[in-house]
Amino acid sequence: MNRYWHSPETTGFNRLALMSLEHIEKISLDGTWKFQLLEHPSYDVRRKWHALPVPGFMPTPKQLLPDFPHLPILNPTGIYERDFEIPITWQKRRIILHVGACQSLGVVSVNGHEAGITTDSQLSSEFDISNLVRRGKNTVQIKVIKFSNANYLEDDSNWRFGGLPRSVKIFVTNDVFIEQFHTTADLNENSTTGTLEINALIGSLAKKSLAGYSLRLNFPELPKEKGAHLTATVLEGGSGNLTIRSSIAHIQPWSSEAPNLYTLDIELLDPQGLTIEITHQKFGFRHLELDNGQLYINDQAIELFYDAETKIDLESAQILSRDVIRGSILDLKRRCFNTVFTQNYANDPALLDICDELGMYAISEPNIGTEGMNGKAASNVSYLGAFMQRAGRLLNRDMHHPSVILWSLKNSHSKKNNVASLATYIEISDPSRPLDYRGAIKSLFAPKGSPQGPISITSSSPSAGKFLITNNQFFVDVSQLAINWSISHNDEVIERGNLELPIIGPRQSHKAAIKSKNLSKPKTKVAITFSVIQKVSTAWAPSQTEILLIKFDLPIKR
């Protein structure tokens, strides 16, 4: 018997390159699946089935992963199965099965025929099932093996439940299709002109000629800008690789404080000019630079206030929905964090979509954690292919997100050969982002748990009504903020007012004065409290939201 789950070299079989584009014609396979739990991958499927939801985890007993390289003798294996039907309009077209994630190794079959194998518990896998489906009812089965050699790359801060924790779906394309699409956006020195480079691959079934097929790209937000309407055509004898470059004036840069996003409408046209595929991608223009351990975003030296992002509810072992992820990021924004750190996880793609939209920097790590086994896999050449696959697929999926400002190998054994090779691979594959590896980035992380608000208010003599207002933001002024103040006596408000703020630029300060007889030489408990209000609605806070409260207790005159 082929014990493929014991093989470090088994990273996948018949698995397509990971894509970053959504497809319009799709069918969700989420919901209730038939399920049965076997004690070992070699055991035969039984007749009796139970019901289990997808996305979800398998009901397996608690087990520890034995020391490398010995897998458990009893290895829980879940058999997931459900039926689906293909629309008549999908016949004779390219049909793809998308598995959002599988912990830890999955064998995918359609109508009793194996479609492929997948590993990497945190990234999706896709399989071409065009030749396996038929008219009427079809059956998909996913055999999920809880423990495999892939687990030894997921041995740091990882929760081993086993199952299908993300969505499963099928989608369709024509026989000529967009196979790869990589977007790299940057800024010129003036920070108002964006640069764009797109590397795309047009694929086809049965080696069909690609001559005359073309990509048409448009920015709906920039209808009049030169460079915002692009086309590229595959020439006679061309391989399908297309590179498109453009400069676009009058753009608004993206940052955590001003998350300006643009929509790229993408069309694939046949030689007659008819649209055969349409999709879109959101991205933003921003510039990253690393200088002597300091990270600069859009030419500003920044400080990161970060929180580790987790992907499951540990109390209920439930998968986090998009709404829950969004709520988590909103909470971080309201508490003035500006960064999430995925720490060994390739999180649900929704996380980075939300970070792009709300303005949250992301430090992204591939699903490689070898700390728990003392780095043995990091020095074992049999795992080198898995290291490269995991990082390469993550870069393919996430490269277009402006929120991803760093790739990180911080939690891997940096001196081991596989990690050193992986660092070189990442730096070559994506030179647009720094890599945090072997202490390359030293000075940009603020102490954990101490985020700054958008402004700070200080005073050496609050009794004199003299205060210094400092804009802590790196890119925007304080015009969206208002400051109200109140003076209290023995915790009872006795006077209110508001500060008339001038335009205080990024990292600038302004001296403000409050004239009140209630401040001077108090003989009892007196305090002045400043309430910072968001004047206009944003994606993360409605207008009139109080985002900061600063209180000064005045010294009592003796």
Side-chain angles (χ1 to χ4, degrees), residues 281-335:
Q281 190 177 77
K282 292 271 190 180
F283 69 94
F285 295 95
R286 54 103 183 91
H287 180 69
L288 302 173
E289 187 174 350
L290 184 64
D291 185 12
N292 196 28
Q294 174 64 57
L295 181 67
Y296 292 80
I297 297 180
N298 302 344
D299 297 325
Q300 293 289 331
I302 64 160
E303 200 170 32
L304 302 182
F305 298 90
Y306 80 91
D307 190 66
E309 213 288 323
T310 55
K311 66 184 188 322
I312 57 173
D313 180 339
L314 299 183
E315 291 185 2
S316 61
Q318 293 298 307
I319 314 303
L320 295 185
S321 67
R322 189 182 186 94
D323 288 342
V324 172
I325 295 172
R326 184 181 180 85
S328 176
I329 300 302
L330 285 171
D331 179 64
L332 292 176
K333 287 286 289 188
R334 290 163 184 158
R335 292 190 289 129

Short mmCIF file of all heavy atoms in Angstrom, two decimals, residues 281-335:
data_model
loop_
_atom_site.label_atom_id
_atom_site.label_comp_id
_atom_site.label_asym_id
_atom_site.label_seq_id
_atom_site.Cartn_x
_atom_site.Cartn_y
_atom_site.Cartn_z
N GLN A 281 -10.29 42.87 -9.38
CA GLN A 281 -9.37 42.77 -8.26
C GLN A 281 -9.24 44.14 -7.61
O GLN A 281 -9.12 45.15 -8.29
CB GLN A 281 -8.00 42.27 -8.74
CG GLN A 281 -7.03 41.91 -7.64
CD GLN A 281 -5.74 41.35 -8.21
OE1 GLN A 281 -4.89 42.10 -8.69
NE2 GLN A 281 -5.57 40.03 -8.16
N LYS A 282 -9.26 44.17 -6.27
CA LYS A 282 -9.06 45.40 -5.51
C LYS A 282 -7.59 45.49 -5.11
O LYS A 282 -7.00 44.51 -4.67
CB LYS A 282 -9.93 45.40 -4.26
CG LYS A 282 -11.42 45.49 -4.52
CD LYS A 282 -11.87 46.93 -4.59
CE LYS A 282 -13.39 47.03 -4.61
NZ LYS A 282 -13.84 48.44 -4.67
N PHE A 283 -7.03 46.69 -5.20
CA PHE A 283 -5.67 46.89 -4.71
C PHE A 283 -5.44 48.37 -4.46
O PHE A 283 -6.28 49.22 -4.79
CB PHE A 283 -4.64 46.32 -5.69
CG PHE A 283 -4.54 47.08 -6.98
CD1 PHE A 283 -3.60 48.08 -7.15
CD2 PHE A 283 -5.40 46.79 -8.03
CE1 PHE A 283 -3.52 48.78 -8.34
CE2 PHE A 283 -5.32 47.48 -9.22
CZ PHE A 283 -4.38 48.49 -9.37
N GLY A 284 -4.31 48.69 -3.86
CA GLY A 284 -3.97 50.08 -3.57
C GLY A 284 -2.52 50.35 -3.93
O GLY A 284 -1.69 49.44 -4.00
N PHE A 285 -2.23 51.63 -4.14
CA PHE A 285 -0.87 52.04 -4.47
C PHE A 285 -0.15 52.48 -3.19
O PHE A 285 -0.63 53.37 -2.48
CB PHE A 285 -0.89 53.21 -5.46
CG PHE A 285 -1.45 52.87 -6.81
CD1 PHE A 285 -2.80 53.10 -7.09
CD2 PHE A 285 -0.65 52.31 -7.78
CE1 PHE A 285 -3.32 52.78 -8.34
CE2 PHE A 285 -1.17 52.00 -9.04
CZ PHE A 285 -2.50 52.23 -9.31
N ARG A 286 0.97 51.86 -2.90
CA ARG A 286 1.81 52.29 -1.78
C ARG A 286 3.23 51.81 -2.01
O ARG A 286 3.48 50.87 -2.76
CB ARG A 286 1.25 51.81 -0.44
CG ARG A 286 0.99 50.33 -0.35
CD ARG A 286 2.06 49.65 0.44
NE ARG A 286 1.85 48.21 0.48
CZ ARG A 286 2.37 47.38 -0.41
NH1 ARG A 286 3.08 47.85 -1.42
NH2 ARG A 286 2.18 46.07 -0.31
N HIS A 287 4.17 52.50 -1.36
CA HIS A 287 5.59 52.21 -1.55
C HIS A 287 6.20 51.73 -0.24
O HIS A 287 5.96 52.32 0.82
CB HIS A 287 6.34 53.45 -2.04
CG HIS A 287 7.81 53.23 -2.25
ND1 HIS A 287 8.29 52.43 -3.26
CD2 HIS A 287 8.89 53.68 -1.56
CE1 HIS A 287 9.61 52.42 -3.21
NE2 HIS A 287 10.00 53.16 -2.18
N LEU A 288 6.99 50.66 -0.31
CA LEU A 288 7.67 50.11 0.86
C LEU A 288 9.17 50.19 0.67
O LEU A 288 9.68 49.97 -0.43
CB LEU A 288 7.28 48.64 1.06
CG LEU A 288 5.80 48.34 1.23
CD1 LEU A 288 5.56 46.83 1.24
CD2 LEU A 288 5.25 48.96 2.51
N GLU A 289 9.87 50.50 1.76
CA GLU A 289 11.32 50.55 1.70
C GLU A 289 11.88 50.22 3.07
O GLU A 289 11.35 50.67 4.10
CB GLU A 289 11.79 51.94 1.27
CG GLU A 289 13.27 52.03 1.02
CD GLU A 289 13.68 53.39 0.45
OE1 GLU A 289 12.78 54.17 0.07
OE2 GLU A 289 14.89 53.66 0.41
N LEU A 290 12.94 49.44 3.09
CA LEU A 290 13.61 49.09 4.33
C LEU A 290 15.00 49.71 4.32
O LEU A 290 15.79 49.48 3.41
CB LEU A 290 13.72 47.57 4.47
CG LEU A 290 14.31 47.03 5.78
CD1 LEU A 290 13.41 47.39 6.95
CD2 LEU A 290 14.50 45.52 5.70
N ASP A 291 15.30 50.51 5.35
CA ASP A 291 16.58 51.20 5.42
C ASP A 291 17.14 51.08 6.83
O ASP A 291 16.58 51.63 7.78
CB ASP A 291 16.41 52.68 5.03
CG ASP A 291 17.74 53.43 4.97
OD1 ASP A 291 18.80 52.77 5.00
OD2 ASP A 291 17.73 54.67 4.91
N ASN A 292 18.22 50.32 6.94
CA ASN A 292 18.90 50.16 8.23
C ASN A 292 17.95 49.68 9.33
O ASN A 292 17.96 50.19 10.46
CB ASN A 292 19.57 51.48 8.64
CG ASN A 292 20.59 51.29 9.75
OD1 ASN A 292 21.19 50.21 9.87
ND2 ASN A 292 20.77 52.30 10.57
N GLY A 293 17.11 48.70 8.98
CA GLY A 293 16.21 48.12 9.96
C GLY A 293 14.93 48.89 10.19
O GLY A 293 14.07 48.46 10.97
N GLN A 294 14.75 50.03 9.55
CA GLN A 294 13.53 50.84 9.70
C GLN A 294 12.68 50.71 8.45
O GLN A 294 13.19 50.87 7.32
CB GLN A 294 13.88 52.31 9.93
CG GLN A 294 12.69 53.25 9.95
CD GLN A 294 11.74 52.98 11.09
OE1 GLN A 294 12.13 53.00 12.25
NE2 GLN A 294 10.47 52.72 10.78
N LEU A 295 11.40 50.43 8.63
CA LEU A 295 10.48 50.32 7.51
C LEU A 295 9.86 51.68 7.21
O LEU A 295 9.39 52.38 8.12
CB LEU A 295 9.38 49.31 7.83
CG LEU A 295 8.35 49.09 6.72
CD1 LEU A 295 9.00 48.40 5.52
CD2 LEU A 295 7.17 48.26 7.24
N TYR A 296 9.86 52.02 5.93
CA TYR A 296 9.22 53.25 5.46
C TYR A 296 8.04 52.86 4.56
O TYR A 296 8.17 52.02 3.67
CB TYR A 296 10.19 54.11 4.66
CG TYR A 296 11.32 54.71 5.48
CD1 TYR A 296 12.43 53.94 5.83
CD2 TYR A 296 11.26 56.02 5.92
CE1 TYR A 296 13.45 54.47 6.59
CE2 TYR A 296 12.29 56.57 6.69
CZ TYR A 296 13.37 55.78 7.02
OH TYR A 296 14.39 56.32 7.79
N ILE A 297 6.90 53.47 4.83
CA ILE A 297 5.72 53.31 3.97
C ILE A 297 5.40 54.67 3.38
O ILE A 297 5.21 55.65 4.12
CB ILE A 297 4.52 52.77 4.76
CG1 ILE A 297 4.84 51.36 5.30
CG2 ILE A 297 3.26 52.73 3.88
CD1 ILE A 297 3.71 50.74 6.09
N ASN A 298 5.38 54.74 2.07
CA ASN A 298 5.14 56.01 1.37
C ASN A 298 6.08 57.10 1.89
O ASN A 298 5.67 58.24 2.16
CB ASN A 298 3.67 56.44 1.51
CG ASN A 298 2.72 55.40 0.98
OD1 ASN A 298 3.12 54.49 0.24
ND2 ASN A 298 1.46 55.49 1.36
N ASP A 299 7.35 56.71 2.08
CA ASP A 299 8.44 57.60 2.50
C ASP A 299 8.34 58.08 3.94
O ASP A 299 9.07 58.99 4.33
CB ASP A 299 8.54 58.81 1.55
CG ASP A 299 8.88 58.41 0.13
OD1 ASP A 299 9.65 57.44 -0.04
OD2 ASP A 299 8.37 59.05 -0.81
N GLN A 300 7.47 57.48 4.72
CA GLN A 300 7.36 57.84 6.14
C GLN A 300 7.85 56.68 7.00
O GLN A 300 7.42 55.54 6.83
CB GLN A 300 5.90 58.15 6.51
CG GLN A 300 5.34 59.40 5.87
CD GLN A 300 5.95 60.66 6.44
OE1 GLN A 300 6.35 60.71 7.60
NE2 GLN A 300 6.01 61.71 5.62
N ALA A 301 8.77 56.98 7.94
CA ALA A 301 9.18 55.97 8.91
C ALA A 301 8.02 55.72 9.85
O ALA A 301 7.48 56.65 10.46
CB ALA A 301 10.41 56.46 9.68
N ILE A 302 7.60 54.47 9.95
CA ILE A 302 6.40 54.17 10.72
C ILE A 302 6.72 53.25 11.89
O ILE A 302 7.76 52.61 11.96
CB ILE A 302 5.31 53.53 9.85
CG1 ILE A 302 5.79 52.17 9.32
CG2 ILE A 302 4.89 54.45 8.71
CD1 ILE A 302 4.65 51.30 8.89
N GLU A 303 5.77 53.20 12.79
CA GLU A 303 5.82 52.32 13.94
C GLU A 303 4.59 51.42 13.89
O GLU A 303 3.49 51.88 13.60
CB GLU A 303 5.81 53.16 15.23
CG GLU A 303 6.33 52.43 16.43
CD GLU A 303 6.53 53.39 17.60
OE1 GLU A 303 5.77 54.37 17.72
OE2 GLU A 303 7.45 53.16 18.41
N LEU A 304 4.80 50.14 14.16
CA LEU A 304 3.72 49.16 14.06
C LEU A 304 3.25 48.75 15.44
O LEU A 304 4.04 48.36 16.29
CB LEU A 304 4.17 47.93 13.28
CG LEU A 304 4.67 48.16 11.85
CD1 LEU A 304 5.04 46.83 11.21
CD2 LEU A 304 3.64 48.90 11.01
N PHE A 305 1.94 48.83 15.65
CA PHE A 305 1.31 48.34 16.87
C PHE A 305 0.50 47.12 16.46
O PHE A 305 -0.51 47.25 15.76
CB PHE A 305 0.41 49.43 17.48
CG PHE A 305 1.16 50.66 17.87
CD1 PHE A 305 1.33 51.71 16.98
CD2 PHE A 305 1.72 50.77 19.13
CE1 PHE A 305 2.03 52.85 17.34
CE2 PHE A 305 2.42 51.91 19.50
CZ PHE A 305 2.57 52.96 18.60
N TYR A 306 0.96 45.95 16.86
CA TYR A 306 0.41 44.74 16.27
C TYR A 306 -0.26 43.84 17.29
O TYR A 306 -0.03 43.91 18.48
CB TYR A 306 1.49 43.96 15.51
CG TYR A 306 2.40 43.12 16.37
CD1 TYR A 306 2.09 41.79 16.64
CD2 TYR A 306 3.56 43.65 16.91
CE1 TYR A 306 2.93 41.01 17.42
CE2 TYR A 306 4.41 42.89 17.68
CZ TYR A 306 4.08 41.56 17.94
OH TYR A 306 4.90 40.79 18.71
N ASP A 307 -1.10 42.96 16.72
CA ASP A 307 -1.76 41.92 17.50
C ASP A 307 -1.77 40.66 16.65
O ASP A 307 -1.95 40.73 15.44
CB ASP A 307 -3.19 42.33 17.84
CG ASP A 307 -3.82 41.39 18.85
OD1 ASP A 307 -3.36 41.37 19.99
OD2 ASP A 307 -4.78 40.69 18.49
N ALA A 308 -1.55 39.52 17.28
CA ALA A 308 -1.58 38.25 16.55
C ALA A 308 -3.01 37.91 16.18
O ALA A 308 -3.92 38.04 17.00
CB ALA A 308 -0.96 37.13 17.38
N GLU A 309 -3.23 37.47 14.94
CA GLU A 309 -4.58 37.14 14.46
C GLU A 309 -4.77 35.64 14.49
O GLU A 309 -3.97 34.89 13.96
CB GLU A 309 -4.75 37.66 13.03
CG GLU A 309 -6.15 38.10 12.69
CD GLU A 309 -7.11 36.94 12.55
OE1 GLU A 309 -6.70 35.89 12.04
OE2 GLU A 309 -8.25 37.09 12.97
N THR A 310 -5.82 35.18 15.15
CA THR A 310 -6.11 33.75 15.17
C THR A 310 -7.32 33.47 14.30
O THR A 310 -8.12 34.36 14.03
CB THR A 310 -6.39 33.25 16.59
OG1 THR A 310 -7.44 34.02 17.16
CG2 THR A 310 -5.15 33.38 17.47
N LYS A 311 -7.45 32.22 13.89
CA LYS A 311 -8.46 31.91 12.89
C LYS A 311 -9.56 30.99 13.38
O LYS A 311 -10.39 30.57 12.61
CB LYS A 311 -7.78 31.29 11.66
CG LYS A 311 -7.15 29.93 11.97
CD LYS A 311 -6.42 29.42 10.79
CE LYS A 311 -5.95 28.00 10.99
NZ LYS A 311 -5.49 27.68 12.32
N ILE A 312 -9.57 30.60 14.67
CA ILE A 312 -10.65 29.78 15.20
C ILE A 312 -11.06 30.29 16.56
O ILE A 312 -10.30 30.95 17.26
CB ILE A 312 -10.25 28.29 15.31
CG1 ILE A 312 -9.01 28.14 16.19
CG2 ILE A 312 -10.03 27.66 13.95
CD1 ILE A 312 -8.66 26.70 16.48
N ASP A 313 -12.27 30.00 16.92
CA ASP A 313 -12.78 30.28 18.25
C ASP A 313 -12.39 29.10 19.13
O ASP A 313 -12.92 28.00 19.00
CB ASP A 313 -14.31 30.44 18.19
CG ASP A 313 -14.92 30.73 19.55
OD1 ASP A 313 -14.27 30.42 20.57
OD2 ASP A 313 -16.05 31.24 19.59
N LEU A 314 -11.43 29.32 20.03
CA LEU A 314 -10.87 28.21 20.78
C LEU A 314 -11.88 27.60 21.75
O LEU A 314 -11.74 26.44 22.16
CB LEU A 314 -9.63 28.66 21.54
CG LEU A 314 -8.50 29.18 20.65
CD1 LEU A 314 -7.29 29.54 21.48
CD2 LEU A 314 -8.11 28.15 19.60
N GLU A 315 -12.89 28.34 22.16
CA GLU A 315 -13.88 27.80 23.08
C GLU A 315 -14.83 26.82 22.39
O GLU A 315 -15.18 25.78 22.92
CB GLU A 315 -14.68 28.93 23.74
CG GLU A 315 -13.84 29.77 24.70
CD GLU A 315 -14.69 30.80 25.42
OE1 GLU A 315 -15.92 30.82 25.19
OE2 GLU A 315 -14.13 31.57 26.21
N SER A 316 -15.22 27.16 21.18
CA SER A 316 -16.20 26.31 20.49
C SER A 316 -15.61 25.56 19.30
O SER A 316 -16.29 24.74 18.69
CB SER A 316 -17.38 27.17 20.00
OG SER A 316 -16.92 28.16 19.09
N ALA A 317 -14.33 25.83 19.00
CA ALA A 317 -13.66 25.21 17.84
C ALA A 317 -14.46 25.43 16.56
O ALA A 317 -14.55 24.57 15.71
CB ALA A 317 -13.43 23.72 18.08
N GLN A 318 -15.04 26.62 16.44
CA GLN A 318 -15.80 26.95 15.24
C GLN A 318 -14.96 27.83 14.32
O GLN A 318 -14.11 28.60 14.77
CB GLN A 318 -17.09 27.69 15.61
CG GLN A 318 -18.10 26.83 16.37
CD GLN A 318 -18.55 25.63 15.55
OE1 GLN A 318 -18.98 25.77 14.42
NE2 GLN A 318 -18.41 24.45 16.13
N ILE A 319 -15.22 27.71 13.05
CA ILE A 319 -14.51 28.51 12.07
C ILE A 319 -15.01 29.96 12.15
O ILE A 319 -16.20 30.21 12.29
CB ILE A 319 -14.77 27.98 10.65
CG1 ILE A 319 -14.62 26.46 10.63
CG2 ILE A 319 -13.87 28.64 9.66
CD1 ILE A 319 -13.27 25.96 11.09
N LEU A 320 -14.08 30.90 12.04
CA LEU A 320 -14.47 32.30 12.07
C LEU A 320 -15.08 32.69 10.72
O LEU A 320 -14.47 32.50 9.68
CB LEU A 320 -13.26 33.18 12.37
CG LEU A 320 -12.63 33.02 13.75
CD1 LEU A 320 -11.53 34.05 13.93
CD2 LEU A 320 -13.66 33.16 14.86
N SER A 321 -16.27 33.26 10.77
CA SER A 321 -16.92 33.74 9.56
C SER A 321 -16.30 35.07 9.14
O SER A 321 -15.57 35.72 9.91
CB SER A 321 -18.42 33.92 9.80
OG SER A 321 -18.63 34.98 10.73
N ARG A 322 -16.64 35.50 7.94
CA ARG A 322 -16.16 36.80 7.47
C ARG A 322 -16.62 37.92 8.39
O ARG A 322 -15.87 38.86 8.68
CB ARG A 322 -16.66 37.04 6.03
CG ARG A 322 -16.04 38.26 5.37
CD ARG A 322 -16.60 38.50 3.97
NE ARG A 322 -15.90 39.57 3.30
CZ ARG A 322 -14.87 39.41 2.49
NH1 ARG A 322 -14.41 38.21 2.24
NH2 ARG A 322 -14.29 40.46 1.92
N ASP A 323 -17.86 37.84 8.87
CA ASP A 323 -18.38 38.87 9.77
C ASP A 323 -17.60 38.91 11.08
O ASP A 323 -17.33 39.99 11.63
CB ASP A 323 -19.86 38.64 10.06
CG ASP A 323 -20.74 38.94 8.86
OD1 ASP A 323 -20.26 39.65 7.94
OD2 ASP A 323 -21.90 38.48 8.83
N VAL A 324 -17.24 37.74 11.60
CA VAL A 324 -16.48 37.70 12.86
C VAL A 324 -15.07 38.25 12.64
O VAL A 324 -14.55 39.00 13.48
CB VAL A 324 -16.43 36.26 13.41
CG1 VAL A 324 -15.48 36.16 14.60
CG2 VAL A 324 -17.83 35.81 13.83
N ILE A 325 -14.45 37.90 11.51
CA ILE A 325 -13.12 38.44 11.20
C ILE A 325 -13.19 39.95 11.09
O ILE A 325 -12.34 40.68 11.63
CB ILE A 325 -12.58 37.82 9.90
CG1 ILE A 325 -12.34 36.32 10.07
CG2 ILE A 325 -11.27 38.51 9.48
CD1 ILE A 325 -11.98 35.60 8.79
N ARG A 326 -14.22 40.44 10.41
CA ARG A 326 -14.37 41.90 10.27
C ARG A 326 -14.54 42.56 11.62
O ARG A 326 -13.94 43.61 11.90
CB ARG A 326 -15.57 42.20 9.37
CG ARG A 326 -15.76 43.68 9.06
CD ARG A 326 -16.98 43.92 8.19
NE ARG A 326 -17.15 45.32 7.90
CZ ARG A 326 -16.54 45.98 6.92
NH1 ARG A 326 -15.72 45.32 6.12
NH2 ARG A 326 -16.75 47.26 6.74
N GLY A 327 -15.35 41.95 12.49
CA GLY A 327 -15.55 42.50 13.83
C GLY A 327 -14.26 42.55 14.61
O GLY A 327 -14.00 43.50 15.37
N SER A 328 -13.41 41.53 14.43
CA SER A 328 -12.12 41.50 15.12
C SER A 328 -11.22 42.63 14.66
O SER A 328 -10.57 43.31 15.46
CB SER A 328 -11.45 40.14 14.88
OG SER A 328 -10.16 40.10 15.45
N ILE A 329 -11.18 42.87 13.34
CA ILE A 329 -10.34 43.95 12.81
C ILE A 329 -10.90 45.32 13.22
O ILE A 329 -10.15 46.24 13.55
CB ILE A 329 -10.21 43.85 11.28
CG1 ILE A 329 -9.57 42.51 10.89
CG2 ILE A 329 -9.40 45.01 10.72
CD1 ILE A 329 -8.20 42.28 11.48
N LEU A 330 -12.22 45.46 13.22
CA LEU A 330 -12.82 46.71 13.69
C LEU A 330 -12.44 46.99 15.13
O LEU A 330 -12.14 48.14 15.51
CB LEU A 330 -14.34 46.64 13.55
CG LEU A 330 -14.91 46.78 12.13
CD1 LEU A 330 -16.39 46.46 12.12
CD2 LEU A 330 -14.67 48.19 11.59
N ASP A 331 -12.46 45.95 15.95
CA ASP A 331 -12.09 46.12 17.36
C ASP A 331 -10.64 46.58 17.48
O ASP A 331 -10.33 47.46 18.29
CB ASP A 331 -12.30 44.80 18.10
CG ASP A 331 -11.91 44.90 19.57
OD1 ASP A 331 -12.55 45.68 20.30
OD2 ASP A 331 -10.97 44.19 19.98
N LEU A 332 -9.74 46.01 16.68
CA LEU A 332 -8.35 46.43 16.72
C LEU A 332 -8.19 47.88 16.27
O LEU A 332 -7.43 48.65 16.86
CB LEU A 332 -7.50 45.52 15.83
CG LEU A 332 -7.33 44.07 16.30
CD1 LEU A 332 -6.55 43.26 15.26
CD2 LEU A 332 -6.62 44.00 17.64
N LYS A 333 -8.92 48.27 15.23
CA LYS A 333 -8.86 49.66 14.76
C LYS A 333 -9.33 50.61 15.86
O LYS A 333 -8.71 51.66 16.09
CB LYS A 333 -9.75 49.83 13.53
CG LYS A 333 -9.20 49.23 12.26
CD LYS A 333 -8.05 50.03 11.67
CE LYS A 333 -8.50 51.35 11.09
NZ LYS A 333 -7.41 52.04 10.36
N ARG A 334 -10.40 50.26 16.52
CA ARG A 334 -10.95 51.14 17.56
C ARG A 334 -10.04 51.24 18.77
O ARG A 334 -10.10 52.21 19.53
CB ARG A 334 -12.34 50.67 17.96
CG ARG A 334 -13.38 50.88 16.86
CD ARG A 334 -14.62 50.07 17.06
NE ARG A 334 -15.55 50.25 15.94
CZ ARG A 334 -16.50 49.39 15.61
NH1 ARG A 334 -16.65 48.26 16.33
NH2 ARG A 334 -17.29 49.60 14.58
N ARG A 335 -9.20 50.22 18.94
CA ARG A 335 -8.23 50.26 20.05
C ARG A 335 -6.86 50.76 19.56
O ARG A 335 -5.87 50.64 20.28
CB ARG A 335 -8.10 48.88 20.69
CG ARG A 335 -9.36 48.47 21.44
CD ARG A 335 -9.15 47.21 22.27
NE ARG A 335 -9.01 46.01 21.46
CZ ARG A 335 -8.02 45.13 21.57
NH1 ARG A 335 -7.05 45.34 22.44
NH2 ARG A 335 -7.99 44.05 20.81
#
